[in-house]
Amino acid sequence: DAGVIQSPRHEVTEMGQEVTLRCKPISGHNSLFWYRQTMMRGLELLIYFNNNVPIDDSGMPEDRFSAKMPNASFSTLKIQPSEPRDSAVYFCASSSVGGAWWNEQFFGPGTRLTVL
Amino acid sequence: SQQGEEDPQALSIQEGENATMNCSYKTSINNLQWYRQNSGRGLVHLILIRSNEREKHSGRLRVTLDTSKKSSSLLITASRAADTASYFCATLTQGAQKLVFGQGTRLTINP
């Protein structure tokens, strides 16, 4: 398996522009996670999907952030409009989750976002 | 507030020595996981230990869990330069539906 695939790997944009990050989870995994990593705040969970349904989006910073999972093999994280403070590395991860037991998460390589 | 907090924040040792990192957490857990992150890369899962387990091994890695003290430790034996990375613990709290990651320990192995 190719693992979790993210695109783009790097994105540089100007403040106010729309940014769309993409993720393809590992085939057969039923859960997908979007994380943001910065030096100041560490690794933060933004949103988590189970069977394509958003379960917990309490980590989404504000209305400028939105995420979708139209099918089991694709998810997007959109920032509109982007701001310099959104600059971070965004990770997508997938896992098999069943009941009260969670298995390990498999992370993608990340998208390094720079908003000027 | 962070559920899992690693200690120390940074550790620098000589190649061949053992490295020990600790993780403390606040509330009861279902499981605790350790991950490694090399610079510029995504996190890689190392070991998962469930709340009813006390110790697990994987190659040169040994993880212990003490639920009475709400703490875990990760031991890397006979360290190698390639072990240089940041190590994170992540906890799945009972009743919660998400892993919470600590801030990590930055490990440097000097040749």
Side-chain angles (χ1 to χ4, degrees), chain A residues 84-103:
Chain A
R85 59 194 169 118
D86 301 331
S87 297
V89 181
Y90 290 81
F91 289 103
C92 175
S94 70
S95 180
S96 297
V97 174
W101 296 108
W102 283 36
N103 295 317

Side-chain angles (χ1 to χ4, degrees), chain B residues 21 25 43 46 50-51 64 68 85 94 101 106:
Chain B
M21 289 158 273
Y25 56 92
L43 280 72
L46 296 177
R50 302 193 190 282
S51 58
T64 60
S68 66
Q94 286 183 359
F101 286 80
R106 181 181 298 275

Side-chain angles (χ1 to χ4, degrees), chain A residues 9 33 35 37 39-43 45 48 55-56 58-59 91 100-110 112, chain B residues 2 30-31 33 35 37 40-46 48 50-52 88 92 96-103 106:
Chain A
R9 294 292 309 278
F33 309 82
Y35 291 91
Q37 187 178 39
M39 288 294 293
M40 289 297 295
R41 301 175 67 88
L43 193 66
L45 176 66
Y48 145 52
I55 302 299
D56 183 348
S58 59
F91 289 103
W101 296 108
W102 283 36
N103 295 317
E104 62 267 31
Q105 295 185 10
F106 294 80
F107 281 72
R112 182 174 296 276
Chain B
Q2 293 287 357
N30 272 331
N31 70 52
Q33 304 180 25
Y35 289 78
Q37 183 179 32
R41 304 285 189 91
L43 280 72
V44 174
H45 179 264
L46 296 177
L48 181 155
R50 302 193 190 282
S51 58
N52 60 353
F88 295 85
L92 178 65
Q97 291 192 346
K98 60 184 179 183
L99 280 178
V100 179
F101 286 80
Q103 292 284 2
R106 181 181 298 275

Side-chain angles (χ1 to χ4, degrees), chain B residues 19-23 25 29 31-36 45-67 71-77 87-91:
Chain B
T20 300
M21 289 158 273
N22 303 296
C23 172
Y25 56 92
I29 59 171
N31 70 52
L32 185 146
Q33 304 180 25
W34 284 92
Y35 289 78
R36 182 188 73 226
H45 179 264
L46 296 177
I47 286 185
L48 181 155
I49 187 165
R50 302 193 190 282
S51 58
N52 60 353
E53 297 175 313
R54 291 297 167 258
E55 187 172 312
K56 286 190 85 169
H57 296 257
S58 177
R60 294 183 296 111
L61 307 181
R62 172 177 169 249
V63 168
T64 60
L65 179 64
D66 187 335
T67 54
S71 68
S72 174
S73 66
L74 170 66
L75 169 67
I76 304 174
T77 60
Y87 292 81
F88 295 85
C89 71
T91 52

Side-chain angles (χ1 to χ4, degrees), chain A residues 38-109:
Chain A
T38 61
M39 288 294 293
M40 289 297 295
R41 301 175 67 88
L43 193 66
E44 303 173 279
L45 176 66
L46 300 178
I47 187 169
Y48 145 52
F49 292 87
N50 185 251
N51 293 324
N52 310 339
V53 175
I55 302 299
D56 183 348
D57 65 355
S58 59
M60 295 287 262
E62 47 199 272
D63 292 345
R64 298 185 297 106
F65 285 68
S66 62
K68 295 182 179 179
M69 192 165 186
N71 57 63
S73 59
F74 183 66
S75 177
T76 59
L77 177 67
K78 184 177 294 186
I79 308 172
Q80 166 63 19
S82 58
E83 296 183 1
R85 59 194 169 118
D86 301 331
S87 297
V89 181
Y90 290 81
F91 289 103
C92 175
S94 70
S95 180
S96 297
V97 174
W101 296 108
W102 283 36
N103 295 317
E104 62 267 31
Q105 295 185 10
F106 294 80
F107 281 72

Side-chain angles (χ1 to χ4, degrees), chain A residues 15-29:
Chain A
M15 182 174 62
Q17 296 297 306
E18 177 180 298
V19 175
T20 299
L21 311 182
R22 298 172 176 80
C23 175
K24 176 178 168 57
I26 291 173
S27 177
H29 282 180

